[in-house]
PDB file of all heavy atoms in Angstrom:
ATOM      1  N   ALA A1508      30.703 160.714 207.197  1.00 90.00           N
ATOM      2  CA  ALA A1508      30.042 160.146 208.378  1.00 90.00           C
ATOM      3  C   ALA A1508      30.122 158.624 208.365  1.00 90.00           C
ATOM      4  O   ALA A1508      30.297 157.992 209.421  1.00 90.00           O
ATOM      5  CB  ALA A1508      28.582 160.605 208.429  1.00 90.00           C
ATOM      6  N   GLY A1509      30.004 158.027 207.163  1.00 86.00           N
ATOM      7  CA  GLY A1509      30.133 156.571 207.075  1.00 86.00           C
ATOM      8  C   GLY A1509      31.517 156.095 207.464  1.00 86.00           C
ATOM      9  O   GLY A1509      31.676 155.088 208.167  1.00 86.00           O
ATOM     10  N   VAL A1510      32.541 156.822 207.028  1.00 89.00           N
ATOM     11  CA  VAL A1510      33.922 156.461 207.377  1.00 89.00           C
ATOM     12  C   VAL A1510      34.153 156.640 208.880  1.00 89.00           C
ATOM     13  O   VAL A1510      34.787 155.793 209.535  1.00 89.00           O
ATOM     14  CB  VAL A1510      34.910 157.324 206.564  1.00 89.00           C
ATOM     15  CG1 VAL A1510      36.331 157.148 207.082  1.00 89.00           C
ATOM     16  CG2 VAL A1510      34.838 156.961 205.087  1.00 89.00           C
ATOM     17  N   ILE A1511      33.632 157.731 209.455  1.00 92.00           N
ATOM     18  CA  ILE A1511      33.775 157.963 210.897  1.00 92.00           C
ATOM     19  C   ILE A1511      33.118 156.832 211.688  1.00 92.00           C
ATOM     20  O   ILE A1511      33.693 156.306 212.642  1.00 92.00           O
ATOM     21  CB  ILE A1511      33.171 159.326 211.282  1.00 92.00           C
ATOM     22  CG1 ILE A1511      34.076 160.452 210.777  1.00 92.00           C
ATOM     23  CG2 ILE A1511      32.976 159.438 212.792  1.00 92.00           C
ATOM     24  CD1 ILE A1511      33.489 161.833 210.935  1.00 92.00           C
ATOM     25  N   ARG A1512      31.913 156.456 211.274  1.00 89.00           N
ATOM     26  CA  ARG A1512      31.197 155.385 211.988  1.00 89.00           C
ATOM     27  C   ARG A1512      31.935 154.056 211.867  1.00 89.00           C
ATOM     28  O   ARG A1512      32.040 153.290 212.842  1.00 89.00           O
ATOM     29  CB  ARG A1512      29.770 155.273 211.431  1.00 89.00           C
ATOM     30  CG  ARG A1512      28.984 154.049 211.884  1.00 89.00           C
ATOM     31  CD  ARG A1512      28.827 153.981 213.402  1.00 89.00           C
ATOM     32  NE  ARG A1512      28.032 152.837 213.790  1.00 89.00           N
ATOM     33  CZ  ARG A1512      28.459 151.581 213.829  1.00 89.00           C
ATOM     34  NH1 ARG A1512      29.723 151.307 213.492  1.00 89.00           N
ATOM     35  NH2 ARG A1512      27.646 150.616 214.213  1.00 89.00           N
ATOM     36  N   THR A1513      32.464 153.753 210.675  1.00 87.00           N
ATOM     37  CA  THR A1513      33.186 152.501 210.475  1.00 87.00           C
ATOM     38  C   THR A1513      34.485 152.481 211.279  1.00 87.00           C
ATOM     39  O   THR A1513      34.857 151.455 211.864  1.00 87.00           O
ATOM     40  CB  THR A1513      33.492 152.303 208.980  1.00 87.00           C
ATOM     41  OG1 THR A1513      32.251 152.242 208.250  1.00 87.00           O
ATOM     42  CG2 THR A1513      34.265 151.008 208.747  1.00 87.00           C
ATOM     43  N   SER A1514      35.173 153.616 211.328  1.00 89.00           N
ATOM     44  CA  SER A1514      36.479 153.679 212.000  1.00 89.00           C
ATOM     45  C   SER A1514      36.358 153.772 213.515  1.00 89.00           C
ATOM     46  O   SER A1514      37.100 153.104 214.241  1.00 89.00           O
ATOM     47  CB  SER A1514      37.274 154.885 211.475  1.00 89.00           C
ATOM     48  OG  SER A1514      37.444 154.813 210.085  1.00 89.00           O
ATOM     49  N   LEU A1515      35.431 154.600 214.008  1.00 90.00           N
ATOM     50  CA  LEU A1515      35.347 154.893 215.441  1.00 90.00           C
ATOM     51  C   LEU A1515      34.158 154.233 216.125  1.00 90.00           C
ATOM     52  O   LEU A1515      34.037 154.307 217.355  1.00 90.00           O
ATOM     53  CB  LEU A1515      35.282 156.412 215.657  1.00 90.00           C
ATOM     54  CG  LEU A1515      36.411 157.243 215.033  1.00 90.00           C
ATOM     55  CD1 LEU A1515      36.188 158.726 215.282  1.00 90.00           C
ATOM     56  CD2 LEU A1515      37.762 156.800 215.581  1.00 90.00           C
ATOM     57  N   GLU A1516      33.279 153.600 215.339  1.00 86.00           N
ATOM     58  CA  GLU A1516      32.077 152.941 215.844  1.00 86.00           C
ATOM     59  C   GLU A1516      31.157 153.905 216.601  1.00 86.00           C
ATOM     60  O   GLU A1516      30.444 153.515 217.520  1.00 86.00           O
ATOM     61  CB  GLU A1516      32.448 151.743 216.732  1.00 86.00           C
ATOM     62  CG  GLU A1516      33.215 150.667 215.971  1.00 86.00           C
ATOM     63  CD  GLU A1516      33.452 149.421 216.811  1.00 86.00           C
ATOM     64  OE1 GLU A1516      33.140 149.451 218.025  1.00 86.00           O
ATOM     65  OE2 GLU A1516      33.932 148.417 216.247  1.00 86.00           O
ATOM     66  N   THR A1517      31.198 155.167 216.209  1.00 90.00           N
ATOM     67  CA  THR A1517      30.294 156.173 216.767  1.00 90.00           C
ATOM     68  C   THR A1517      30.151 157.304 215.764  1.00 90.00           C
ATOM     69  O   THR A1517      31.078 157.585 214.986  1.00 90.00           O
ATOM     70  CB  THR A1517      30.816 156.731 218.101  1.00 90.00           C
ATOM     71  OG1 THR A1517      29.905 157.751 218.557  1.00 90.00           O
ATOM     72  CG2 THR A1517      32.195 157.331 217.947  1.00 90.00           C
ATOM     73  N   TYR A1518      28.995 157.963 215.783  1.00 91.00           N
ATOM     74  CA  TYR A1518      28.751 159.114 214.919  1.00 91.00           C
ATOM     75  C   TYR A1518      29.031 160.446 215.613  1.00 91.00           C
ATOM     76  O   TYR A1518      28.948 161.502 214.969  1.00 91.00           O
ATOM     77  CB  TYR A1518      27.286 159.127 214.458  1.00 91.00           C
ATOM     78  CG  TYR A1518      26.944 158.175 213.340  1.00 91.00           C
ATOM     79  CD1 TYR A1518      26.181 157.030 213.574  1.00 91.00           C
ATOM     80  CD2 TYR A1518      27.341 158.434 212.032  1.00 91.00           C
ATOM     81  CE1 TYR A1518      25.826 156.168 212.549  1.00 91.00           C
ATOM     82  CE2 TYR A1518      27.012 157.575 210.994  1.00 91.00           C
ATOM     83  CZ  TYR A1518      26.244 156.442 211.254  1.00 91.00           C
ATOM     84  OH  TYR A1518      25.904 155.601 210.229  1.00 91.00           O
ATOM     85  N   THR A1519      29.350 160.418 216.890  1.00 92.00           N
ATOM     86  CA  THR A1519      29.440 161.670 217.653  1.00 92.00           C
ATOM     87  C   THR A1519      30.372 162.712 217.030  1.00 92.00           C
ATOM     88  O   THR A1519      29.989 163.894 216.922  1.00 92.00           O
ATOM     89  CB  THR A1519      29.860 161.368 219.102  1.00 92.00           C
ATOM     90  OG1 THR A1519      28.856 160.563 219.718  1.00 92.00           O
ATOM     91  CG2 THR A1519      30.005 162.666 219.895  1.00 92.00           C
ATOM     92  N   PRO A1520      31.589 162.365 216.598  1.00 94.00           N
ATOM     93  CA  PRO A1520      32.437 163.395 215.975  1.00 94.00           C
ATOM     94  C   PRO A1520      31.795 164.028 214.744  1.00 94.00           C
ATOM     95  O   PRO A1520      31.989 165.223 214.488  1.00 94.00           O
ATOM     96  CB  PRO A1520      33.714 162.630 215.603  1.00 94.00           C
ATOM     97  CG  PRO A1520      33.740 161.466 216.540  1.00 94.00           C
ATOM     98  CD  PRO A1520      32.306 161.074 216.716  1.00 94.00           C
ATOM     99  N   ALA A1521      31.019 163.237 213.997  1.00 93.00           N
ATOM    100  CA  ALA A1521      30.360 163.780 212.801  1.00 93.00           C
ATOM    101  C   ALA A1521      29.328 164.838 213.176  1.00 93.00           C
ATOM    102  O   ALA A1521      29.235 165.892 212.535  1.00 93.00           O
ATOM    103  CB  ALA A1521      29.697 162.651 212.017  1.00 93.00           C
ATOM    104  N   TRP A1522      28.531 164.570 214.227  1.00 94.00           N
ATOM    105  CA  TRP A1522      27.531 165.552 214.665  1.00 94.00           C
ATOM    106  C   TRP A1522      28.210 166.843 215.124  1.00 94.00           C
ATOM    107  O   TRP A1522      27.745 167.943 214.808  1.00 94.00           O
ATOM    108  CB  TRP A1522      26.677 165.008 215.805  1.00 94.00           C
ATOM    109  CG  TRP A1522      26.062 163.664 215.630  1.00 94.00           C
ATOM    110  CD1 TRP A1522      26.106 162.625 216.527  1.00 94.00           C
ATOM    111  CD2 TRP A1522      25.276 163.177 214.524  1.00 94.00           C
ATOM    112  NE1 TRP A1522      25.415 161.536 216.048  1.00 94.00           N
ATOM    113  CE2 TRP A1522      24.894 161.843 214.825  1.00 94.00           C
ATOM    114  CE3 TRP A1522      24.879 163.728 213.319  1.00 94.00           C
ATOM    115  CZ2 TRP A1522      24.127 161.070 213.958  1.00 94.00           C
ATOM    116  CZ3 TRP A1522      24.119 162.964 212.442  1.00 94.00           C
ATOM    117  CH2 TRP A1522      23.752 161.655 212.767  1.00 94.00           C
ATOM    118  N   VAL A1523      29.308 166.712 215.874  1.00 95.00           N
ATOM    119  CA  VAL A1523      29.975 167.895 216.432  1.00 95.00           C
ATOM    120  C   VAL A1523      30.592 168.746 215.324  1.00 95.00           C
ATOM    121  O   VAL A1523      30.437 169.978 215.305  1.00 95.00           O
ATOM    122  CB  VAL A1523      31.045 167.469 217.458  1.00 95.00           C
ATOM    123  CG1 VAL A1523      31.872 168.671 217.900  1.00 95.00           C
ATOM    124  CG2 VAL A1523      30.391 166.795 218.663  1.00 95.00           C
ATOM    125  N   VAL A1524      31.306 168.109 214.398  1.00 95.00           N
ATOM    126  CA  VAL A1524      31.921 168.855 213.299  1.00 95.00           C
ATOM    127  C   VAL A1524      30.848 169.577 212.482  1.00 95.00           C
ATOM    128  O   VAL A1524      31.006 170.744 212.103  1.00 95.00           O
ATOM    129  CB  VAL A1524      32.745 167.913 212.399  1.00 95.00           C
ATOM    130  CG1 VAL A1524      33.178 168.623 211.120  1.00 95.00           C
ATOM    131  CG2 VAL A1524      33.969 167.400 213.152  1.00 95.00           C
ATOM    132  N   ALA A1525      29.736 168.888 212.221  1.00 94.00           N
ATOM    133  CA  ALA A1525      28.654 169.501 211.448  1.00 94.00           C
ATOM    134  C   ALA A1525      28.091 170.724 212.161  1.00 94.00           C
ATOM    135  O   ALA A1525      27.799 171.758 211.535  1.00 94.00           O
ATOM    136  CB  ALA A1525      27.550 168.479 211.198  1.00 94.00           C
ATOM    137  N   GLY A1526      27.924 170.617 213.477  1.00 94.00           N
ATOM    138  CA  GLY A1526      27.414 171.756 214.232  1.00 94.00           C
ATOM    139  C   GLY A1526      28.345 172.957 214.163  1.00 94.00           C
ATOM    140  O   GLY A1526      27.890 174.101 213.993  1.00 94.00           O
ATOM    141  N   VAL A1527      29.630 172.706 214.257  1.00 96.00           N
ATOM    142  CA  VAL A1527      30.606 173.801 214.238  1.00 96.00           C
ATOM    143  C   VAL A1527      30.632 174.497 212.881  1.00 96.00           C
ATOM    144  O   VAL A1527      30.654 175.738 212.791  1.00 96.00           O
ATOM    145  CB  VAL A1527      32.008 173.273 214.606  1.00 96.00           C
ATOM    146  CG1 VAL A1527      33.061 174.348 214.372  1.00 96.00           C
ATOM    147  CG2 VAL A1527      32.031 172.819 216.065  1.00 96.00           C
ATOM    148  N   ILE A1528      30.617 173.734 211.782  1.00 95.00           N
ATOM    149  CA  ILE A1528      30.687 174.378 210.463  1.00 95.00           C
ATOM    150  C   ILE A1528      29.396 175.123 210.140  1.00 95.00           C
ATOM    151  O   ILE A1528      29.419 176.115 209.396  1.00 95.00           O
ATOM    152  CB  ILE A1528      31.036 173.367 209.343  1.00 95.00           C
ATOM    153  CG1 ILE A1528      29.969 172.293 209.196  1.00 95.00           C
ATOM    154  CG2 ILE A1528      32.412 172.752 209.588  1.00 95.00           C
ATOM    155  CD1 ILE A1528      30.218 171.355 208.007  1.00 95.00           C
TER     156      ILE A1528
END
Side-chain angles (χ1 to χ4, degrees):
V1510 170
I1511 288 172
R1512 169 59 178 77
T1513 299
S1514 302
L1515 305 178
E1516 298 186 353
T1517 178
Y1518 282 108
T1519 297
W1522 310 131
V1523 172
V1524 170
V1527 171
I1528 63 174

